[in-house]
């Protein structure tokens, strides 16, 4: 009944009698007329005949109304069918057009596919990096990481993510803003024993970490609070999904064990596929935090002096991150039992879990956001290019369209035809784009962001959906202008002028499209140039040491358990002896140029201990903190490539028990003894009272401690063996050949000395830096790829515009030539037009890049965002390419033969 | 005039298709063809014929277009489609079988 109502409503809206109803009336009228004629012929009077005809036709009025309804239903069905037929016809026509000009179509499809694919791939990256967060984390935006923010006496205000167990426990027990609080630490570890051991990433987590994240195990269970009890932690483990599949065949885990860091752990569960905790990097095995914590210090549950874990919390509904910060700060201050004033005043900040350990948004995320912009620009360029080429073709097909229109094709039909063509091209491009997205996704994920655990495939359904959407929008965007162009024609003019006329507004539109392509290419290329220059700056940066030439290995020490029958100092001495023995052996290996040992290693670990230097009451502080201490064996400076500026380096006779000596960094020497020489000065190192006087015997060049960007800090070096209260020895090897060839003999030699050793960690020191360089590498690669692509597309766009200009103006050129114009003048005219367009585009692009520089600057590395070399280079490149693109059409214009051209029209 | 037989429900479509199987016709031609073929014994309203035509047009059994008659009058001409022809054959076969069965049963001698 509602249907009837609606029907009535529609009929009302329809207004005047519809076409269908008029046709029915006409048909009925004709029928009645014929019937009347028939009846009159058979002898009835006209009046009787009409009555009889109406009777025969059926119940008066009602019959006709029923017919109207039946016809309406019929026409609705038929019209729908017609529309579908038209669509199929259009599509078939469009496909024929695509096939007829294969190179034209292929070019459009490839450029669009690159644009679409790049966007889809970036969508996949953004989705993981910026939107959804790590896999299996429920409501990532309600999860916060707790940072400490304090004004340190050595380095001013700092924010850091590391915390001690005590700060985790106090927030867990006393803060009211969180429904759950958990803590975790990701550490390197080994799995398996001896030679079969391999390196893995171990996630040490408190039992409440898993409910905080909201993750469910794939099999078994996560460990509980009893197993993670600080007093008696148990050796239980939850293995990662990948390990479960590879090492356990995905079978039952009851009663199975895993050898973690040389000890047997009972497997209680399996983490779901792709679970990486709240980070994005791979985690192979999860173990109880308390078990890990025992190794940190004796009072680990209560001390404020050791920080080895990260704290996360889930906000209660309605609680903001600010409220949670204040709450946690209050709790921290109330429970702080230490004596440091600055630490008592420290604040707790609740920040997104995706932030860096320093409480900032990761550079990868910021660069990725830019790359999304880049991908969109590439797509816009591809769209502009497609629109341009379709417009050009529309000009060529004016006569065809005019003929079609003359034969009765409606204007709407012509628009639809052009739009369908655009859509067909976009759909084909979208299909090709799947491959492109896969390749770009692979590149970005595998090569540029290798540390992130990508679980979803590069082209998942989300990406496919994004791809389809982008393809449709692209098709519409690029076909819109040509479609409007096709509809806005005057038939007779088109029929008369043929291909020739193309001037005026439409030529302007095409020129604008070309110029804007050039402008966008300039922006991308400037971006590429800036990132490439950043990479150069990084390469050229003097880090003091030479990280790419040094292998860092760790000498495995026996897992002794608590000291028995020896003092702590005796055990330390024994361990040092092992390390020195390994060092001696390594030095004899063929291919080893230099080798040394170090406690405190650039980009890895740094230490700061009590230090007094007469006559200072307190050491001046520098922005980078410190002074930082390193304990290094002989040959350290030669191994690291760090020059000794004055005095001497260490020799084998500088050791535990020999005269305390020290080497200071250049900056330290200049800071502490600005007037005189540092050599021979006295430094009292360590917290012991009284500390012995260490004599300065050398000055070394400055070296970076943390990586690429850091504030200046003082450093000093003491002989390996003379250090107290710091530990963790790295074996440093400088091979004479390529480092890659050195790993196997190195590991073999170390294993020969310690057959019980598990996996022996060894890596080029540079690898510690790579993670820091990755945002720039990502930016440089992607900007360059997109920039080159944009340049190519813009060049072809310009070539096509000029070619059509030449085609359209053949007649004019012929007339000019006939009137005596020199071929060279005509060629110059065309080239001038092309380069002129490019100049406008370049100017606009440079202006945009100049303005946009403000936002890119923070992402660059010691590079001016308005670097004149980059700007000039890109401008020159673009103009050069535009010149090249103009030459072909210019030559063709030059070769127009007046007689042929004029006769051809 | 003798009392006319009402058309059995659903058979008008088939009858119309039979008419169109000879040649495309306009509505009135179909009416006259049916009247002649049945000797005037089938009774149906002319409007029912158009109902049938519209229905079958929507089902793609016939198609229609406006044309001009021999004496230059406008008319809507209907033609049978391939689908219509198939439908006609199928309906004819089943009608013949049905009618035969009903006849056999009804004309059986009582035991």
């Amino acid at each position: 009944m509602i249907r009837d109502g609606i029907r009535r409503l529609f009929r009302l809206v329809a207004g005047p009698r519809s076409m269908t109803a008029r046709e029915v009336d006409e048909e009925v009228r004709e029928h009645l007329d014929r019937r009347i004629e028939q009846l009159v012929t058979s002898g009835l009077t006209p009046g009787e005949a009409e009555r009889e005809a109406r009777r025969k036709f059926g119940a008066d009025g009602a019959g006709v109304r029923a017919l109207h309804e039946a016809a309406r239903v019929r026409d609705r069905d038929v019209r729908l069918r017609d529309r579908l037929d038209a669509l199929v016809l259009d599509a078939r026509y469009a496909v024929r057009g695509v096939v007829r000009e294969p190179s034209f179509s292929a070019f459009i499809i490839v450029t669009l596919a690159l644009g679409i694919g790049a966007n889809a791939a970036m969508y996949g990256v953004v989705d993981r990096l910026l939107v959804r967060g790590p896999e299996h984390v429920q409501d990532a935006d309600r999860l916060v990481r707790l940072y400490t923010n304090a004004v340190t006496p050595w380095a001013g205000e700092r924010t850091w993510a590391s915390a001690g167990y005590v700060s985790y426990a106090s927030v867990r027990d006393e803060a009211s803003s969180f429904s759950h609080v958990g803590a975790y630490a990701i550490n390197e570890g080994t799995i398996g024993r001896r030679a079969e051991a391999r390196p893995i990433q171990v996630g040490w987590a408190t039992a409440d970490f898993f409910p905080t994240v909201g993750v469910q195990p794939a099999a078994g269970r996560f460990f509980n609070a009893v197993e993670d009890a600080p007093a008696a932690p148990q050796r239980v483990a939850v293995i990662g999904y990948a390990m479960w599949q590879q090492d356990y065949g995905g079978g039952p885990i009851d009663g199975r064990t895993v050898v973690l860091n040389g000890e047997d752990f009972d497997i209680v569960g399996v983490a779901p596929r792709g679970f990486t905790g709240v980070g994005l990097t791979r985690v192979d095995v999860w173990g109880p935090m308390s078990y890990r914590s025992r190794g940190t210090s004796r009072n680990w549950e209560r001390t404020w002096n050791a920080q080895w874990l990260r704290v996360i919390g889930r906000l209660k509904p309605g609680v903001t991150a600010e409220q949670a910060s204040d709450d946690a700060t209050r709790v921290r201050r109330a429970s702080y039992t230490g004596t440091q004033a600055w630490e008592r005043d420290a604040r707790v900040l609740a920040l997104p879990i995706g932030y860096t350990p320093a409480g900032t948004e990761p550079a990868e995320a910021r660069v990725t956001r830019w790359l999304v912009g880049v991908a969109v620009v590439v797509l816009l360029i591809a769209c502009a290019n497609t629109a341009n080429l379709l417009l050009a073709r529309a000009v060529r097909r004016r006569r065809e369209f005019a003929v079609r229109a003359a034969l009765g094709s409606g204007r709407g039909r012509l628009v639809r035809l052009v739009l369908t063509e655009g859509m067909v091209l976009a759909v084909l491009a979208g299909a090709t784009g799947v491959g492109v997205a896969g390749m770009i996704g692979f590149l970005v994920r595998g090569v540029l962001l290798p540390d992130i655990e990508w679980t979803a495939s590069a082209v998942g359904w989300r990406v496919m959906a994004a791809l389809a959407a982008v393809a449709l929008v692209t098709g519409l965007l690029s076909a819109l202008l040509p479609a409007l162009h096709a509809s806005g024609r005057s038939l007779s003019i088109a029929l008369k002028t043929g291909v020739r006329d193309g001037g005026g507004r439409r030529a302007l539109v095409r020129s604008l499209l070309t110029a804007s392509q050039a402008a966008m290419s300039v922006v991308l290329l400037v971006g590429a140039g800036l990132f490439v220059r950043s990479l150069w700056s990084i390469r050229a940066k003097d880090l003091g040491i030479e990280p790419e030439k040094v292998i860092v290995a760790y000498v495995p020490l026996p897992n002794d358990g608590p000291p028995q029958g020896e003092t702590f100092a005796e055990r330390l001495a024994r361990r040092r002896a092992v390390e020195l023995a390994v060092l001696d052996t390594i030095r004899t290996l063929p291919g080893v140029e230099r080798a040394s040992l170090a406690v405190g290693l650039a980009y890895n670990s740094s230490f700061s201990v009590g230090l007094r230097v007469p006559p200072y009451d307190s050491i001046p502080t520098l922005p980078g903190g410190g002074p930082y201490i390193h304990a290094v064996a002989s040959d350290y400076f030669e191994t690291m490539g760090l020059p000794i500026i004055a005095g001497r380096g260490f020799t084998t006779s500088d050791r535990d028990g020999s005269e305390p000596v020290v080497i200071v960094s250049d900056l330290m020497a200049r800071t502490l003894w600005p007037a005189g020489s540092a050599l021979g000065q006295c430094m009292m190192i360590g917290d012991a009272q009284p500390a012995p006087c260490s004599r300065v015997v050398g000055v070394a060049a400055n070296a970076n401690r943390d990586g690429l960007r850091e504030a200046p800090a003082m450093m000093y070096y003491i002989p390996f063996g003379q250090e107290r209260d710091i530990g963790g020895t790295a074996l440093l090897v400088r091979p004479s050949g390529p480092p890659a060839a050195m790993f196997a003999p190195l590991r073999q030699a170390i294993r020969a000395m310690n057959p019980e050793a598990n996996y022996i960690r060894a890596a080029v020191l540079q690898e510690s830096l790579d993670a820091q360089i990755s945002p720039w590498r990502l930016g440089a690669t992607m900007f360059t790829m997109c920039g080159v692509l944009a340049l190519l597309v813009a060049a072809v766009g310009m070539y096509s515009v000029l070619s059509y200009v030449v085609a359209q103006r053949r007649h004019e050129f012929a007339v000019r030539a006939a009137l005596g114009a020199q071929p060279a003048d005509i060629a110059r005219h065309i080239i001038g037009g092309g380069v002129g367009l490019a100049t406008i585009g370049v100017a606009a692009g440079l202006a945009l890049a100049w303005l946009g520089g403000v936002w890119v600057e923070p992402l660059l590395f010691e590079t001016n965002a308005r670097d004149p070399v980059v700007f000039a280079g890109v401008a020159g490149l673009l103009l050069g390419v535009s010149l090249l693109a103009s030459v072909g059409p210019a030559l063709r214009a030059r070769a127009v033969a007046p007689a042929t051209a004029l006769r051809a029209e | 005039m003798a009392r006319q037989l009402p058309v059995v429900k659903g058979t008008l479509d088939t009858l119309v298709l039979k008419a169109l199987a000879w040649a495309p016709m306009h509505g009135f031609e179909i009416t006259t063809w049916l009247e002649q073929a049945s000797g005037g014994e089938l009774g149906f309203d002319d409007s029912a014929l158009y109902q049938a035509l519209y229905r079958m047009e929507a089902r793609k059994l016939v198609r229609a277009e406006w044309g001009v008659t021999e004496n230059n009058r406008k008319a809507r001409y209907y033609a049978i489609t391939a689908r219509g022809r198939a439908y006609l054959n199928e309906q004819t076969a089943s009608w013949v079988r049905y009618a035969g069965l009903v006849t056999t049963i009804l004309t059986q001698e009582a035991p």
Side-chain angles (χ1 to χ4, degrees):
Chain A
M1 301 312 110
I2 291 169
R3 269 240 302 268
D4 281 338
I6 290 173
R7 237 179 266 151
R8 245 190 327 271
L9 185 72
F10 274 97
R11 232 174 288 162
L12 266 177
V13 172
R17 294 173 68 72
S18 70
M19 178 77 179
T20 305
R22 272 206 307 277
E23 280 190 357
V24 170
D25 288 348
E26 192 172 349
E27 197 172 13
V28 170
R29 184 72 247 151
E30 288 289 335
H31 179 93
L32 292 176
D33 284 354
R34 290 199 179 87
R35 179 68 90 192
I36 292 166
E37 278 169 32
Q38 186 196 39
L39 293 171
V40 168
T41 317
S42 67
L44 295 186
T45 67
E48 288 165 341
E50 175 149 8
R51 266 195 307 281
E52 177 61 12
R54 285 199 182 282
R55 192 194 59 76
K56 277 178 113 50
F57 192 78
D60 202 19
V64 178
R65 257 202 309 281
L67 277 185
H68 281 167
E69 179 55 29
R72 210 181 55 74
V73 171
R74 172 199 71 190
D75 283 2
R76 193 191 55 206
D77 290 2
V78 170
R79 221 172 292 136
L80 192 69
R81 214 156 51 216
D82 280 355
R83 225 172 280 161
L84 276 175
D85 286 350
L87 197 68
V88 170
L89 224 63
D90 284 353
R92 206 179 291 162
Y93 178 82
V95 169
R96 224 183 302 143
V98 168
V99 175
R100 198 170 45 212
E101 293 174 276
S103 53
F104 173 90
S105 311
F107 181 73
I108 288 182
I109 290 170
V110 167
T111 51
L112 279 184
L114 286 170
I116 293 172
N119 275 276
M122 285 321 294
Y123 173 82
V125 174
V126 168
D127 188 43
R128 176 54 75 221
L129 233 52
L130 301 177
V131 183
R132 271 193 308 156
E135 197 98 19
H136 303 293
V137 173
Q138 305 299 320
D139 301 323
D141 55 333
R142 297 298 294 165
L143 209 53
V144 291
R145 190 190 291 282
L146 299 185
Y147 289 83
T148 309
N149 172 267
V151 182
T152 63
W154 63 89
E157 186 178 346
R158 284 286 165 93
T159 301
W160 63 90
S162 315
Y165 193 86
V166 62
S167 42
Y168 147 72
S170 61
V171 171
R172 178 194 63 193
D173 297 338
E174 285 153 50
S176 57
S177 307
F178 306 98
S179 58
H180 289 92
V181 178
Y184 74 97
I186 310 289
N187 296 136
E188 284 182 19
T190 60
I191 195 158
R193 282 188 220 279
R194 292 187 273 281
E196 278 83 53
R198 61 175 208 263
I200 53 157
Q201 295 292 317
V202 189
W204 299 100
T206 57
D208 46 13
F209 173 79
F210 303 102
T212 306
V213 169
V215 60
Q216 298 300 323
R221 57 178 179 87
F222 291 116
F223 38 82
N224 55 37
V226 174
E227 288 157 334
D228 184 39
Q234 297 169 21
R235 286 201 299 259
V236 291
V238 172
I239 57 174
Y241 193 89
M243 182 183 282
W244 184 43
Q245 294 299 319
Q246 281 155 26
D247 297 355
Y248 297 86
I253 44 159
D254 294 339
R256 305 291 300 264
T257 57
V258 58
V259 181
L260 190 56
N261 295 345
E263 292 182 285
D264 280 318
F265 278 64
D266 292 325
I267 299 175
V268 296
V270 178
R273 200 165 94 85
F275 181 59
T276 53
V278 292
L280 291 170
T281 54
R282 179 175 55 91
V283 176
D284 300 294
V285 179
W286 295 89
M289 171 58 85
S290 295
Y291 195 83
R292 151 81 174 84
S293 302
R294 292 176 323 148
T296 53
S297 70
R298 228 171 320 146
N299 273 334
W300 63 270
E301 307 122 273
R302 289 186 299 280
T303 182
W304 287 89
N305 292 332
Q307 299 168 344
W308 68 97
L309 47 78
R310 308 272 163 90
V311 185
I312 57 166
R314 183 168 289 283
L315 299 175
K316 275 184 184 161
V319 176
T320 66
E322 289 70 34
Q323 290 163 344
S325 301
D326 293 344
D327 185 26
T329 301
R330 183 187 55 74
V331 169
R332 182 196 160 95
R333 287 180 179 167
S335 51
Y336 182 67
T337 53
T339 53
Q340 302 279 2
W342 64 267
E343 223 185 327
R344 194 165 41 241
D345 295 336
R347 283 183 46 75
V348 177
L349 299 179
L351 298 174
I353 51 166
Y355 275 25
T356 65
T360 54
E361 188 178 27
E364 275 91 350
R366 282 182 291 149
V367 172
T368 302
R369 202 168 293 139
W370 272 93
L371 291 181
V372 172
V374 168
V376 169
V377 171
V378 169
L379 186 64
L380 284 180
I381 292 177
C383 281
N385 182 64
T386 307
N388 215 341
L389 291 176
L390 288 179
L391 261 179
R393 190 156 69 157
V395 169
R396 236 182 319 153
R397 294 191 342 200
R398 303 182 55 196
R399 239 205 271 259
E400 176 199 330
F401 276 171
V403 170
R404 278 173 175 273
L407 290 179
S409 278
R411 188 161 283 189
R413 184 71 201 279
L414 288 181
V415 170
R416 229 171 34 229
L417 205 65
V418 177
L419 277 181
T420 314
E421 265 182 352
M423 296 308 275
V424 166
L425 286 171
V427 167
L428 288 174
T432 319
V434 176
V436 176
M439 280 190 307
I440 296 180
F442 176 79
L443 179 78
V444 172
R445 292 160 164 231
V447 182
L448 300 172
L449 294 172
D451 294 336
I452 291 177
E453 174 88 338
W454 299 99
T455 41
S457 74
V459 187
W461 66 266
R462 281 159 172 276
V463 174
M464 290 296 282
L467 206 127
V470 171
L472 289 182
V473 171
T474 305
L476 277 179
L477 269 185
S478 31
L480 205 60
L481 266 179
L484 291 177
H485 173 257
S487 73
R489 319 225 29 79
S490 158
L491 281 186
S492 50
I493 294 177
L495 276 173
K496 266 182 251 153
T497 53
V499 188
R500 207 184 330 133
D501 162 82
R505 200 173 51 83
R506 278 182 307 282
L508 185 69
V509 168
R510 302 199 52 207
S511 302
L512 274 179
L513 280 176
T514 310
S516 52
Q517 278 183 57
M520 288 188 275
S521 311
V522 166
V523 172
L524 291 187
L525 285 172
V526 166
L530 293 176
F531 271 96
V532 168
R533 264 187 90 87
S534 289
L535 269 188
W536 284 351
S537 303
I538 290 170
R539 297 257 157 74
K541 179 148 182 93
D542 181 13
L543 296 167
I545 56 177
E546 297 169 320
E548 72 285 359
K549 292 186 178 155
V550 178
I551 294 175
V552 182
Y554 292 88
V555 176
L557 293 169
N559 193 353
D560 299 318
Q564 281 163 350
E566 62 177 352
T567 64
F568 190 73
E570 281 166 354
R571 168 190 268 201
L572 200 60
R574 184 167 56 79
R575 293 192 157 192
R576 279 188 193 135
V578 172
E579 287 160 350
L580 284 168
V582 171
L583 176 61
D584 283 341
T585 314
I586 296 302
R587 280 182 172 151
T588 62
L589 282 183
V592 172
E593 191 181 307
R594 301 275 185 169
S596 187
L597 298 170
V599 177
L601 177 65
Y603 326 135
N604 284 272
S605 56
S606 56
F607 299 97
S608 184
V609 300
L611 175 67
R612 278 169 301 133
V613 180
Y616 292 94
D617 289 331
S618 65
I619 308 278
T621 45
L622 293 184
Y628 296 102
I629 183 172
H630 303 72
V632 302
S634 56
D635 263 5
Y636 171 82
F637 297 96
E638 293 81 355
T639 306
M640 296 294 265
L642 188 62
I644 293 287
I645 298 172
R648 63 175 179 91
F650 294 134
T651 66
T652 42
S653 31
D654 294 305
R655 56 191 155 77
D656 190 14
S658 70
E659 186 210 350
V661 289
V662 59
I663 293 171
V664 296
S665 69
D666 190 29
L667 180 64
M668 188 158 187
R670 287 171 196 277
T671 310
L672 296 182
W673 303 283
S677 166
L679 296 181
Q681 301 282 357
C682 166
M683 290 168 58
M684 285 176 264
I685 301 163
D687 297 316
Q689 301 282 353
C693 193
S694 298
R695 189 167 55 89
V696 178
V697 294
V699 177
N702 293 319
N704 278 23
R705 176 179 62 94
D706 247 0
L708 299 171
R709 292 206 242 211
E710 63 184 35
M714 293 188 277
M715 294 190 192
Y716 59 103
Y717 307 83
I718 60 170
F720 179 74
Q722 291 186 3
E723 81 279 7
R724 300 288 178 268
D725 308 323
I726 62 174
T729 311
L731 170 66
L732 306 172
V733 179
R734 186 188 186 89
S736 46
M742 202 63 230
F743 287 119
L746 190 60
R747 285 204 173 99
Q748 209 178 340
I750 297 174
R751 180 167 298 286
M753 298 190 69
N754 183 355
E756 291 295 305
N758 291 326
Y759 178 77
I760 295 155
R761 282 196 289 150
V764 181
L765 182 54
Q766 175 74 29
E767 283 179 28
S768 308
L769 264 186
D770 280 346
Q772 297 184 30
I773 300 175
S774 108
W776 290 288
R777 211 170 26 215
L778 180 68
T781 314
M782 294 303 289
F783 263 100
T784 305
M785 264 176 44
C786 294
V788 168
L789 174 66
L791 181 67
L792 183 79
V793 171
V796 173
M798 175 164 303
Y799 175 85
S800 87
V801 168
L802 291 177
S803 294
Y804 285 111
V805 165
V806 170
Q808 283 158 24
R809 292 171 59 187
R810 263 170 76 85
H811 189 85
E812 176 200 329
F813 292 141
V815 173
R816 281 173 187 246
L819 292 178
Q822 292 301 307
D825 293 339
I826 292 173
R828 216 175 295 130
H829 178 71
I830 293 292
I831 291 179
V835 175
L837 270 185
T839 310
I840 296 169
V842 166
L846 288 183
L848 274 177
W850 183 272
L851 293 175
V854 185
W855 296 297
V856 213
E857 183 108 6
L859 291 175
L860 302 176
F861 186 83
E862 293 173 11
T863 301
N864 180 0
R866 292 166 179 175
D867 186 282
V869 177
V870 169
F871 275 61
V874 168
L877 180 65
L878 244 274
L879 292 178
V881 168
S882 74
L883 191 66
L884 277 181
S886 319
V887 167
L891 288 181
R892 239 173 297 139
R894 187 173 179 264
V896 168
T900 353
L902 288 175
R903 222 177 290 132
E905 287 289 325
Chain B
M1 200 187 277
R3 205 170 67 86
Q4 291 179 319
L5 282 171
V7 175
V8 175
K9 207 170 162 52
T11 51
L12 184 57
D13 287 12
T14 321
L15 292 174
V16 170
L17 285 177
K18 181 72 189 171
L20 292 177
W22 297 101
M25 301 176 192
H26 53 71
F28 188 68
E29 282 176 333
I30 300 172
T31 322
T32 25
W33 187 90
L34 282 177
E35 279 167 2
Q36 278 165 14
S38 69
E41 285 202 52
L42 275 180
F44 58 92
D45 286 346
D46 291 357
S47 64
L49 171 85
Y50 287 96
Q51 290 270 16
L53 281 171
Y54 294 171
R55 201 163 47 230
M56 288 196 290
E57 201 182 334
R59 291 172 61 197
K60 271 181 149 178
L61 300 178
V62 302
R63 60 168 185 275
E65 59 188 29
W66 284 96
V68 189
T69 64
E70 54 270 34
N71 33 20
N72 240 353
R73 288 167 69 165
K74 241 181 115 179
R76 202 155 190 262
Y77 274 92
Y78 294 87
I80 189 166
T81 63
R83 211 161 137 181
R85 224 172 265 284
Y87 182 75
L88 171 63
N89 290 339
E90 179 197 316
Q91 288 296 305
T92 308
S94 77
W95 174 263
V96 168
R97 221 177 123 208
Y98 179 74
L101 265 173
V102 172
T103 312
T104 315
I105 294 165
L106 294 184
T107 54
Q108 259 174 14
E109 296 278 329

